Amino acid sequence: MKNYTKIKDIINLPETIKDAILLKMNPFEFQDLGKHKTLVMLFFNSSLRTRLSTEKAAKNLGMEVMILNINDAWNLEFEDGTIMNMDKSEHIKEAAQVISQYADIIAVRAFPTLQDKAKDESEYILNNLKKHATVPIVNMESATAHPLQALADAITITELTEKAKPKVVLSWAPHPKALPQAVANSFIEMIQNMDVDLTITHPEGYELSEAITKNTPINYNQEEALKDADFVYTKNWSSYNNYGKVLSQDNSWMVTKAKLGHAKFMHCLPVRRNVVVEDTVLDSDQSVVIQQANNRTYAAQIVLKQILEDL
Ligand code: CP
């Protein structure tokens, strides 16, 4: 693997999932692979799981890890040809090349503005870093994608499914803040590559990009969509067409024990209790959110392993 910035960078998904599950059983098997290799992790935004699981994954492979919260560094310029006489002190051109000298792999988290759709869709931070860096890049959630989360989700469904072709429903849920579409986008793209019956449900106005949803069925009736589901993946996202706007906080979309039926409950976390999902779901055996978070380590580890093998 050369980079992991999007789902399509996975060369063989079934094999990658199988190898991640094997790594989980024997996490230190490839301790020498990352010896004298360094992962630099750049954070433009907050993180709990991604930060800790990716660091753990790198250390399981014997790598050194350096973490930089970008707020602690110089304010970066991304535009070409700018006269840098305002608040930006360093251009990504120099920064990316300099960091590449300290790193064998760079991982980056950079959320969208949710104000400027064109800028967000250009993935200007991720792609400028990739353009000017001289080492592989791993996406730890960008403006439009969260491929490490989606790989952990695919591992979790593979581990837990009791059916050859489970029914998986991605359900929008309310949230007081405007959130990115990244998790939903990558989950859909990942599941479209698996032997899974996927349905998306959300209120009207929350349609995701058609470039992502393609032919996946969308049902505006949540109760109907959730019927006979094996896995219910719940996530809030802000409007894509009315970009970045919160159009509804309708709490009738919150996932309840009654709506869940016999399905397993999935969420990437962090989750707002009794807004997105009620306590009785999260505190029940049907919730697999902790297992999902654990699988973030093995998703990151299989990605780093495949990149290290290709250096
Ligand atoms: N799911 C996820 O990416 O969690 P963090 O934002 O805490 O990293």
Side-chain angles (χ1 to χ4, degrees):
M1 186 184 277
K2 297 296 176 200
N3 296 282
Y4 188 54
T5 59
K6 54 189 183 309
I7 303 293
K8 286 190 178 72
D9 289 329
I10 298 175
I11 295 154
N12 183 329
L13 180 61
E15 203 163 287
T16 298
I17 293 172
K18 188 185 85 193
D19 289 349
I21 293 170
L22 290 174
L23 276 178
K24 189 174 177 178
M25 290 191 268
N26 195 1
F28 306 117
E29 189 181 352
F30 300 97
Q31 265 272 303
D32 291 336
L33 189 63
K35 196 174 172 191
H36 303 314
K37 300 275 190 271
T38 300
L39 173 70
V40 169
M41 298 165 72
L42 304 177
F43 285 93
F44 288 76
N45 309 95
S46 309
S47 169
L48 187 156
R49 279 144 290 275
T50 306
R51 179 170 173 157
L52 296 178
S53 63
T54 309
E55 179 170 354
K56 183 173 161 74
K59 288 180 172 168
N60 284 353
L61 292 166
M63 296 185 83
E64 299 292 330
V65 179
M66 295 195 288
I67 298 174
L68 179 65
N69 294 319
I70 288 291
N71 278 345
D72 296 335
W74 302 109
N75 205 356
L76 287 174
E77 175 63 64
F78 291 90
E79 299 294 331
D80 270 340
T82 328
I83 299 168
M84 289 171 57
N85 61 356
M86 300 294 280
D87 58 329
K88 308 284 173 61
S89 307
E90 176 156 23
H91 202 282
I92 187 66
K93 284 185 185 176
E94 285 77 50
Q97 291 177 76
V98 168
I99 297 164
S100 298
Q101 296 178 116
Y102 310 144
D104 297 279
I105 301 172
I106 301 173
V108 60
R109 164 164 284 200
F111 288 174
T113 63
L114 291 181
Q115 310 276 328
D116 186 335
K117 188 176 191 175
K119 195 171 172 184
D120 290 345
E121 295 219 297
S122 76
E123 291 281 13
Y124 72 102
I125 296 180
L126 180 72
N127 284 336
N128 268 303
L129 181 65
K130 193 173 166 191
K131 183 173 165 189
H132 298 295
T134 56
V135 299
I137 302 296
V138 172
N139 181 349
M140 296 193 296
E141 189 171 346
S142 64
T144 67
H146 197 353
L148 281 176
Q149 178 67 53
L151 183 52
D153 300 336
I155 294 166
T156 309
I157 290 172
T158 304
E159 284 178 327
L160 292 171
T161 189
E162 291 165 5
K163 290 185 183 166
K165 190 168 181 161
K167 177 175 175 181
V168 176
V169 181
L170 171 64
S171 178
W172 180 93
H175 197 284
K177 288 175 68 181
L179 298 189
Q181 296 98 26
V183 169
N185 286 346
S186 289
F187 182 72
I188 293 166
E189 286 193 301
M190 177 63 77
I191 296 299
Q192 284 167 343
N193 285 293
M194 296 174 72
D195 198 11
V196 159
D197 170 12
L198 175 64
T199 297
I200 303 168
T201 183
H202 56 70
E204 289 190 47
Y206 279 97
E207 292 76 11
L208 292 158
S209 163
E210 284 176 18
I212 301 282
T213 54
K214 299 192 178 94
N215 296 328
T216 301
I218 297 166
N219 190 336
Y220 296 119
N221 183 328
Q222 189 193 37
E223 202 180 314
E224 209 175 278
L226 294 184
K227 197 167 179 298
D228 299 327
D230 297 298
F231 295 89
V232 174
Y233 197 107
T234 307
K235 183 72 185 85
N236 171 270
W237 59 87
S238 57
S239 174
Y240 175 74
N241 290 327
N242 197 347
Y243 193 64
K245 296 285 181 291
V246 176
L247 307 179
S248 165
Q249 295 202 29
D250 180 357
N251 70 3
S252 72
W253 279 79
M254 178 173 76
V255 173
T256 62
K257 192 103 188 203
K259 284 185 199 173
L260 192 62
H262 297 293
K264 303 237 180 282
F265 175 80
M266 300 182 74
H267 191 284
C268 61
L269 303 182
V271 69
R272 290 192 183 226
R273 282 176 173 256
N274 304 310
V275 175
V276 170
V277 55
E278 65 178 12
D279 280 340
T280 49
V281 172
L282 274 176
D283 295 334
S284 77
D285 291 345
Q286 284 172 258
S287 172
V288 298
V289 298
I290 306 302
Q291 182 168 337
Q292 266 178 278
N294 188 34
N295 283 336
R296 291 294 308 273
T297 298
Y298 308 102
Q301 196 169 332
I302 194 63
V303 163
L304 293 174
K305 177 177 177 284
Q306 290 184 10
I307 293 174
L308 286 168
E309 286 167 343
D310 240 2
L311 284 180

